[in-house]
Amino acid sequence: MTESDVCKPWAQERKDVSRGRWAWQVRTNEGFAKQILHPSQPQLAISGPPPSSPTCHPCQKRPPAMSGLVLLGISALLGLGAGAPLCLSRQLRMQGDYMLGGLFPLGSVEDTGLSNRTQPNTTVCTRFSSLGLLWALAMKMAVEEINRGSTLLPGLRLGYDIFDTCSEPTVAMKPSLVFMTKAGSRDIAAYCDYTQYQPRVLAVIGPHSSELALVTGKLFGFFLMPQVSYGATTDRLSDREAFPSFFRTVPSDRAQVTAVVELLHTLGWNWVAAVGSDDEYGRQGLGLFSSLASARGICIAHEGLVPLPGAHGLRLGAVQGLLHQVNQSSVQVVVLFSSAPAAHTLFSYSIRSRLSPKVWVASEAWLTSELVMTLPGMAQVGTVLGFLQRGAPMPDFSSYVQTRLALAADPAFCASLEAEQPGLEEHVVGPRCPQCDHISLENVSTGLLHHQTFSAYAAVYGVAQALHNMLLCNASGCPTRAPVRPWQLLENMYNMSFRVPGLPLRFDPSGNVDMDYDLKLWVWQDPTPELRTVGSFTGRLQLQLAQMCWFTPRNTKPVSQCSRQCMEGQVRHVKGFHSCCYDCVDCKSGSYQRNPDDLLCTPCDQDQWSPDRSLRCFPRRPTSLEWGEPVVLLLLVLLGLALGLVLVALGLFIRHQDSPLVQASGGPRACFGLACLGLVCLSVLLFPGQPSPASCLAQQPLLHLPLTGCLSTLFLQAAETFVELELPPRWADRLRHRLRGPRAWLVVLLAMLVEAALCTWHLVAFPPQVVTDWRVLPTEALVHCHVQSWVSFGLVHAPHMALASLCFLGTFLTHSPPGRDDGARGLTFTMLAYFITWVCFVPLFANVHVAYQPAVQMGTSLLCALGILATFYLPKCYLFLRQPESNTPEFFLGGGPGDARGQGGSGGGEETQQKQGTCSSVTLPQ
């Protein structure tokens, strides 16, 4: 609450009077009855919604028919005479064993009353506050209940001194100083130590507003005077260092703002305007809302302060500018944390400017204010909802007010009060509430059920419970003790639990109480709205969406967002300064959206994967070059073909091992070369399937050692051909015996030893390892053999590359004589097939996906073996099967008439016989 939200001016009920004279127009019972039975219709600035404006019929109700009759009966029962003065102001003081001070807004000053104040003289309150009087009567009722009861203070009597604050700090200071005067005097002495100081009151109830409590709280805090407010909600008062003696029976604004933020978050409103009144209540409420809303991802598009009535014209122009910005933007929700007068100012401009309907989230200060509710045209501002603290019902309060007013109209009762000697404070503060003597029940009937009445009522019970605890009272009475000092009572109030009829309460370490909230929605009647409960906040928000209605077409819930809600699997790419304004970006594969409000996609772990726009990651399944893959099946077919041809050729060579063709092809060396080709083909079986450390180590040696053995036999064949056809006969005869003898196997052995040495170095220095690559495949983890050094991998190929190069150089320019087998040409094409295969292997292996590198190496090895078969061995097999007549010594070993290098027919025959068991390295024409 604020200091001005309860002070509604009686503009229609006050006559112009001269300065310093009081005059009020008090309605008679007859006039009151006429108003109830024939209520006048207010003239609205906007008489009704335009044809296109939405109306919420389920939320428009007529007032209950019984309420007016009930009030009429009560008024008739009282029988108050027209214009008869009351003595209600003299009931605001009562003597007792322990006195309580009361600060209540019984009236208020004119709007410009303090702006022209130049001297510290008395301020006259010229307006009346019905709510302030009702709160004071609630305190009076609580004191009388405690005095009558035998539970809290049996045998003791509480008294009270109630003063008017006029809703102004300067006015509230005077009764506050009176409370601190020494008991029985009007003096406040200056002491070094106030421990034994006994002021005239033991505790203070009030004031109602944060602005007043911030002033009086400093004064009472110096004397450690317990102060229990029933309406001051600013969070600053929770500071125990600044306000050590302050308590309240209402929650802090932080609790209300927390509920508002939770409401906005639950309804998906993250793009709002925030407006506060230009006073302590509005500024601190706006600051609290900004910090809590930001923590929940709610953005404030527009923010501003509304000046209080009587502000300068430039500040009022700022309000118009703020409203224009809100009207032009996409904001559909406005949080108004304001006092009632400032809210009245804002809505006056809003209605005059014809602001489009919005959702107004109200603070407690103006949610129930008649000053705002009765503003002409308020029905067209949109949907109004807000949180209202939930107290406990006070069923006896209405009858108590009726009794007090009835006694105030009783001349005999008033005469008994006049007999009492007036207190000393009357000469200082003046009449307590002269306005209160000129009212009727009609003037206070609308506030009988105000929610804050219970808070004033509960404040008295809180002080009484602390006094009960301090005096060690029991059912039989309270032990006699020395006079109680305020600071002694204060010690018993910290973290104290107490019970008010209907509700248990407890002061927390900051002096606050924990109370629940009800979410109220304005449901328009004629001419004011009814408060409908559509939810609650008990630390957790609960909504009754079916009970809500909206000032929108088809009663749909308003949407107040800067950007659309992102779809699943999308994150927000913020643009600008507000986190609520963003573009929706898809999460790519390998990442996912963890939370709906994420600004960045969360990468999956290395052993997980995710598709595009995913909300979770999935585990990767280990995989490798499987046996059932199409490329592997194709290679296995190729392996079967190559291996079958090798076996066929080897069988033919073994069967015809004594024939000139086999002897000319190297004899046993040709069979060894075919066996090596078979091992080359079988080595490719190490590449498919799940790799293991042993298979990774065996792949390269088992491929390159047999390939080197095969190429070494072809190298001897090429060397023999080169020697026979290109060297002089004397040299050729000498070298021919060595190339065809047993010593030639030393060349094969040497080549294979070199290859074995390089393979051993490769495996020892840079051993291939089984690794799991988590990133090369989109959804699986690739398990493969990793080559650590490509240099050592290349050196393993060096021996057979060197043998192939020597073979090619030795046979490329060599030509056999006419009528002889042209073995040189066959060897040349064999080496060309080898070179083409492995030269293509290098770029293909380097650029193919790592998952298919084993397949590339398999295919290269098989194609190399097939190339050697097709260019060297299979043509000879063709002669075995199709041209057996060519399998003669003259065609393969020389010695015929056409042999230019022969030594005659007989000599050739003898030479042939001497060379049985050896073979010349020759090839067939291609």
Side-chain angles (χ1 to χ4, degrees), residues 460-482:
V460 180
Y461 273 88
V463 175
Q465 181 66 51
L467 189 59
H468 170 91
N469 297 342
M470 181 181 178
L471 297 176
L472 304 176
C473 297
N474 51 41
S476 60
C478 299
T480 304
R481 288 196 55 172

Side-chain angles (χ1 to χ4, degrees), residues 327-540:
N327 200 30
Q328 296 297 320
S329 68
S330 60
V331 171
Q332 298 299 320
V333 177
V334 182
V335 178
L336 181 55
F337 212 90
S338 167
S339 61
H344 182 275
T345 301
L346 178 68
F347 284 118
S348 297
Y349 281 103
S350 173
I351 295 171
R352 191 181 311 162
S353 304
R354 294 190 177 273
L355 180 71
S356 59
K358 305 290 182 183
V359 176
W360 296 88
V361 180
S363 64
E364 196 174 17
W366 68 269
L367 180 63
T368 59
S369 171
E370 291 185 24
L371 184 65
V372 181
M373 286 181 169
T374 57
L375 181 66
M378 273 300 293
Q380 307 305 314
V381 300
T383 305
V384 179
L385 71 164
F387 288 95
L388 205 62
Q389 72 183 50
R390 182 194 303 168
M394 298 175 60
D396 299 332
F397 183 65
S398 297
S399 60
Y400 179 81
V401 173
Q402 297 167 21
T403 303
R404 288 294 103 190
L405 290 178
L407 289 174
D410 185 359
F413 178 76
C414 294
S416 66
L417 294 177
E418 291 176 355
E420 297 182 8
Q421 182 180 359
L424 296 175
E425 69 280 352
E426 300 288 349
H427 305 289
V428 178
V429 183
R432 294 177 184 269
C433 181
Q435 312 96 303
C436 299
D437 294 336
H438 301 274
I439 65 168
S440 67
L441 183 61
E442 177 192 2
N443 304 130
V444 297
S445 60
T446 57
L448 286 174
L449 300 179
H450 195 275
H451 66 283
Q452 212 162 357
T453 305
F454 174 79
S455 299
Y457 179 74
V460 180
Y461 273 88
V463 175
Q465 181 66 51
L467 189 59
H468 170 91
N469 297 342
M470 181 181 178
L471 297 176
L472 304 176
C473 297
N474 51 41
S476 60
C478 299
T480 304
R481 288 196 55 172
V484 178
R485 305 294 193 275
W487 60 269
Q488 294 173 319
L489 180 66
L490 180 65
E491 292 179 349
N492 289 272
M493 295 184 68
Y494 293 123
N495 301 316
M496 181 190 71
S497 297
F498 60 101
R499 183 171 185 84
V500 185
L503 186 68
L505 295 175
R506 178 181 178 274
F507 289 129
D508 66 16
S510 299
N512 304 318
V513 294
D514 185 15
M515 297 181 71
D516 299 333
Y517 284 97
D518 287 326
L519 180 61
K520 299 291 186 177
L521 176 72
W522 280 13
V523 180
W524 279 96
Q525 301 174 346
D526 275 333
T528 57
E530 173 195 74
L531 294 179
R532 173 188 291 178
T533 302
V534 294
S536 62
F537 183 78
T538 58
R540 185 173 62 91

Side-chain angles (χ1 to χ4, degrees), residues 142-461:
V143 170
E144 294 176 2
E145 286 180 355
I146 294 170
N147 289 341
R148 290 195 306 267
S150 60
T151 304
L152 287 177
L153 300 172
L156 296 179
R157 180 180 176 85
L158 287 179
Y160 51 83
D161 246 348
I162 297 175
F163 289 97
D164 185 10
T165 65
C166 283
S167 299
E168 287 293 340
T170 55
V171 179
M173 280 304 298
K174 187 179 289 186
S176 299
L177 291 172
V178 170
F179 293 153
M180 296 310 304
T181 58
K182 197 170 185 179
S185 72
R186 290 184 289 177
D187 302 327
I188 302 179
Y191 295 105
C192 179
D193 185 0
Y194 283 90
T195 304
Q196 301 302 320
Y197 185 74
Q198 185 71 54
R200 63 185 297 144
V201 299
L202 190 61
V204 176
I205 307 300
H208 75 289
S209 74
S210 299
E211 202 151 0
L212 269 66
L214 289 171
V215 176
T216 60
K218 292 286 188 179
L219 174 66
F220 296 140
F222 173 77
F223 293 96
L224 294 182
M225 166 76 74
Q227 176 186 9
V228 185
S229 174
Y230 49 87
T233 57
T234 179
D235 198 51
R236 286 179 56 188
L237 293 169
S238 299
D239 186 356
R240 270 283 170 251
E241 293 186 3
F243 305 95
S245 64
F246 182 82
F247 298 84
R248 51 186 161 195
T249 51
V250 290
S252 165
D253 281 335
R254 181 175 293 274
Q256 182 183 181
V257 172
T258 301
V260 170
V261 170
E262 189 66 26
L263 173 68
L264 298 178
H265 185 268
T266 302
L267 295 178
W269 296 333
N270 61 3
W271 186 241
V272 301
V275 184
S277 54
D278 193 8
D279 54 12
E280 175 62 29
Y281 175 77
R283 286 190 294 269
Q284 67 89 29
L286 200 58
L288 267 177
F289 175 75
S290 298
S291 60
L292 295 180
S294 177
R296 294 302 301 269
I298 298 172
C299 300
I300 300 177
H302 308 285
E303 187 173 357
L305 294 174
V306 181
L308 299 176
H312 193 271
L314 291 178
R315 301 181 68 186
L316 295 177
V319 176
Q320 292 177 315
L322 175 64
L323 290 176
H324 179 73
Q325 292 177 1
V326 172
N327 200 30
Q328 296 297 320
S329 68
S330 60
V331 171
Q332 298 299 320
V333 177
V334 182
V335 178
L336 181 55
F337 212 90
S338 167
S339 61
H344 182 275
T345 301
L346 178 68
F347 284 118
S348 297
Y349 281 103
S350 173
I351 295 171
R352 191 181 311 162
S353 304
R354 294 190 177 273
L355 180 71
S356 59
K358 305 290 182 183
V359 176
W360 296 88
V361 180
S363 64
E364 196 174 17
W366 68 269
L367 180 63
T368 59
S369 171
E370 291 185 24
L371 184 65
V372 181
M373 286 181 169
T374 57
L375 181 66
M378 273 300 293
Q380 307 305 314
V381 300
T383 305
V384 179
L385 71 164
F387 288 95
L388 205 62
Q389 72 183 50
R390 182 194 303 168
M394 298 175 60
D396 299 332
F397 183 65
S398 297
S399 60
Y400 179 81
V401 173
Q402 297 167 21
T403 303
R404 288 294 103 190
L405 290 178
L407 289 174
D410 185 359
F413 178 76
C414 294
S416 66
L417 294 177
E418 291 176 355
E420 297 182 8
Q421 182 180 359
L424 296 175
E425 69 280 352
E426 300 288 349
H427 305 289
V428 178
V429 183
R432 294 177 184 269
C433 181
Q435 312 96 303
C436 299
D437 294 336
H438 301 274
I439 65 168
S440 67
L441 183 61
E442 177 192 2
N443 304 130
V444 297
S445 60
T446 57
L448 286 174
L449 300 179
H450 195 275
H451 66 283
Q452 212 162 357
T453 305
F454 174 79
S455 299
Y457 179 74
V460 180
Y461 273 88

